[in-house]
Amino acid sequence: MTRADTDLVMICTSDVAGQVRGKAIPRKAIEARSETGIGWTPTNVFITAFGPIAPSPFGALGDLCIRPDFSTSVDLDLPDFGVDESFVLGDILELDGTPWSCCLRGALRLALDRLKERHGVTLKASFEHEFHYFGTQPQPGLGYSLRAYRRLGPFANRVMAVLDAAGLSIDTFMPEYGPAQCEVTVGPKPALRAADEAVILRELVRATARGTGSRASFAPILDPSGVGNGVHVHFSLYDENGTPISYDASAENGVSRRAGSFVAGILAHLPDFTAITAASVPSYLRLTPHRWSAAYNNFGKQDRESAVRICPVFGADADIARKFHYEFRAADAATSPYLLLAALVHAGLAGLDDGLATPAVTEEDVSELSEAQLAERTLQRLPQDLGSALDRLSASTWARQAFGDTLIDAFESHKRTEIEIMAGLTDEEVCARYAEAY
Ligand code: GLU
Ligand code: MG
C-alpha cells in the first residue's frame, strides 16, 4: 500500500451517541500532532445521532483536543474490497492535558485504574457483535443456515480478511437467527484494547459492507416484533501477576469469591445504569423476555436470558481457570463500548468494595415469576423505557460518584433530546430511524 503524504488520517472519538467522530489531518502532520492532536469542542458531546444538538451548558464556549493513541491505528487499503480506511482513536483532553470529564475512553481508563489500585484486579474482555447486513436477501427461518450464509456472498470472508488485516483476532462469524442478521466475535484482550477493538470492528464491518455497495446496521432492533442486535461483553478477572481469578473449583458453579462480588455489583447497580448499556429508545423493545436478551438483573448459568451469564467451558481441561468467564448481555451498540465497559467495571468495583456475596444463580424463566417471588430472590425487572432508565441513572448517587456529575448530566440531556426526537413515532418508525443512524 502506498500512501501519499497528503492522504488523510482521521483522529476520532467514540461518543455518547455511540458515533465515531473526529477530524482528519494529512499523514505528514502526524508527528507534529501526536501530542496536541486535533481541536475539539465540549458541545460536540451533545450532537445526537439524528442531528439536533441537545441543550448544552457549554454553548459555543470552550476548547479541547483529541490526542491520538497510535496503538489504535487502522490503516487499510484493500482496493479489491473497496475498503480504504485510515483512522486512529484518541482521548479527549483539556488544553492542559488533563482528561476531559466527558471523554468516554478516559472514563473507562479511570474505572480500570481504580479497580487495579483498590483491588489489584485487571480485566480482560471480548465483545460479541450482532448486526444486520442489507446486501442479502432476508428470509425468516434461515437462522444459522448455510443458505443464509451463502446469500451473504463475499461479505463474510471480506469481513474476516479486513478484521484480520486490522490486527483483530477473530473468533467466529455466523448468520444469526434474524433474517439478514450476522454475528462476529473476537478473542479476549485487556479491557481498554477490547473496547478499542469494539469501536474498530463496527467501523470496519460498515466499511466492508459499503465496499459491497450495501450497508450494515448495528441498531439495537430493526423489527419491533423480531429479535434484537445485542452486544454481549465477555469478561474475566486477573490478579496483579496475571493469574486468572474468575474461577474457583471448590465454589458453587465455579464462581470465585472475587468474581462473585464483581458480578453482584454489576447486577445490584444494573437497574441504575441500564440507560448506559441500553442507550436508545428502541433498546427497550429488545430488553424484553423471550428475545434472548435480558430483562431482569439475574445471574444465570448458561442462560441466554440472564443479565450476566456463566459461560460454558468446553471439555474438562486443566486450563479451565483461564477459559472460565462471564457474559453481560443487557447491552447494545447504541452506546459507546468505552462507556459500556466503564459502567460494568465501576459497578463490579462497587461489588468488590462492598464485599458483596455471590448472587444466587436463577434456574427458571424469571419472566414467569410473580412480584413476590422476584422480591424474594431480590430480582428486579430492568427499566422498560429509556426515560425511566434515565430517571434511575440521574438519581443514582453511585453513578454520579463513579462517572461524575458533568458526564451524567450531559448523558441525560443528550438522551432526553433523543427521546423528544422520537416522540410520536410508531415503534416501526423508531426502528427505521435507528437503522439509518447506527
Ligand atoms: N439477539 C440476541 C440479543 O439481542 C442474542 C442472541 C444470542 O447470541 O444469544 O442479545
Ligand atoms: Mg448472537
Side-chain angles (χ1 to χ4, degrees):
M1 158 182 29
T2 38
R3 296 284 197 190
D5 269 4
T6 49
D7 278 357
L8 293 168
V9 180
M10 187 114 168
I11 299 174
C12 304
T13 180
S14 157
D15 69 9
V16 163
Q19 301 290 338
V20 178
R21 306 183 206 261
K23 294 180 185 174
I25 56 167
R27 198 158 279 265
K28 62 183 169 190
I30 284 180
E31 188 67 37
R33 295 272 192 162
S34 59
E35 273 304 307
T36 53
I38 50 142
W40 203 242
T41 313
T43 286
N44 285 1
V45 73
F46 295 96
I47 305 175
T48 64
F50 304 93
I53 300 179
S56 163
F58 309 119
L61 303 176
D63 279 295
L64 303 162
C65 71
I66 305 181
R67 184 164 66 198
D69 176 344
F70 291 107
S71 74
T72 68
S73 290
V74 171
D75 191 7
L76 299 175
D77 186 12
L78 304 164
D80 290 350
F81 297 171
V83 170
D84 183 359
E85 293 289 313
S86 190
F87 65 88
V88 55
L89 305 173
D91 296 291
I92 311 181
L93 305 175
E94 300 276 5
L95 298 184
D96 65 4
T98 53
W100 183 46
S101 49
C102 297
C103 172
L104 305 184
R105 196 165 186 260
L108 174 57
R109 213 192 283 277
L110 179 75
L112 293 167
D113 286 350
R114 284 187 191 165
L115 181 64
K116 197 167 177 183
E117 274 160 28
R118 291 199 212 148
H119 298 278
V121 169
T122 58
L123 189 91
K124 278 191 192 170
S126 89
F127 285 64
E128 192 179 314
H129 305 262
E130 293 178 336
F131 59 92
H132 275 71
Y133 174 57
F134 295 109
T136 186
Q137 186 195 351
Q139 183 179 324
L142 292 189
Y144 312 113
S145 74
L146 190 54
R147 286 172 62 200
Y149 173 72
R150 188 178 300 120
R151 284 181 189 187
L152 296 170
F155 176 67
N157 279 337
R158 286 188 187 184
V159 166
M160 294 297 99
V162 168
L163 296 179
D164 186 63
L168 274 60
S169 49
I170 308 127
D171 188 35
T172 52
F173 181 102
M174 65 163 113
E176 248 287 358
Y177 172 73
Q181 192 182 29
C182 302
E183 177 184 307
V184 177
T185 56
V186 291
K189 291 282 169 66
L192 186 65
R193 175 67 193 171
D196 288 334
E197 289 194 357
V199 177
I200 291 168
L201 184 144
R202 287 178 202 165
E203 293 307 315
L204 292 183
V205 167
R206 290 184 174 112
T208 309
R210 187 171 182 275
T212 68
S214 185
R215 66 177 290 265
S217 177
F218 289 78
I221 188 164
L222 273 79
D223 168 4
S225 62
V227 290
N229 284 324
V231 170
H232 303 167
V233 184
H234 296 255
F235 62 89
S236 50
L237 304 174
Y238 298 80
D239 71 9
E240 276 130 336
N241 308 315
T243 306
I245 55 166
S246 298
Y247 178 71
D248 177 352
S250 65
E252 198 174 352
N253 299 308
V255 181
S256 71
R257 182 75 186 83
R258 278 186 284 186
S261 293
F262 193 86
V263 169
I266 290 177
L267 296 175
H269 292 291
L270 177 55
D272 285 342
F273 71 83
T274 308
I276 286 178
T277 66
S280 78
V281 172
S283 295
Y284 295 82
L285 295 170
R286 171 179 167 264
L287 284 190
T288 47
H290 309 139
R291 289 189 212 233
W292 288 27
S293 62
Y296 297 80
N297 62 342
N298 62 319
F299 189 31
K301 188 180 178 187
Q302 300 169 20
D303 171 1
R304 288 185 172 74
E305 292 205 5
S306 51
V308 175
R309 175 172 96 111
I310 305 171
C311 290
V313 175
F314 296 100
D317 72 71
D319 222 14
I320 184 162
R322 216 156 260 291
K323 292 181 178 167
F324 197 83
H325 71 277
Y326 307 89
E327 177 189 29
F328 179 79
R329 297 177 63 89
D332 62 55
T335 203
S336 164
Y338 299 120
L339 192 59
L340 160 55
L341 202 47
L344 298 183
V345 173
H346 275 305
L349 173 60
L352 284 168
D353 285 347
D354 298 341
L356 297 186
T358 302
V361 164
T362 52
E363 280 170 5
E364 64 271 272
D365 179 350
V366 287
S367 70
E368 297 196 340
L369 298 179
S370 67
E371 286 297 326
Q373 288 169 314
L374 287 172
E376 198 183 307
R377 291 167 174 74
T378 61
L379 294 179
Q380 288 178 55
R381 177 74 170 91
L382 300 182
Q384 295 185 50
D385 60 80
L386 182 57
S388 327
L390 288 169
D391 293 343
R392 293 283 307 244
L393 181 70
S394 186
S396 163
T397 319
W398 161 78
R400 290 187 170 276
Q401 266 167 8
F403 292 101
D405 287 327
T406 312
L407 179 52
I408 294 293
D409 291 340
F411 187 87
E412 185 179 2
S413 168
H414 182 128
K415 292 293 163 182
R416 297 253 184 231
T417 299
E418 198 168 314
I419 294 172
E420 280 167 28
I421 296 168
M422 297 303 145
L425 301 184
T426 63
D427 288 347
E428 284 75 11
E429 288 165 341
V430 167
C431 288
R433 294 294 308 272
Y434 280 84
E436 276 170 23
Y438 291 89

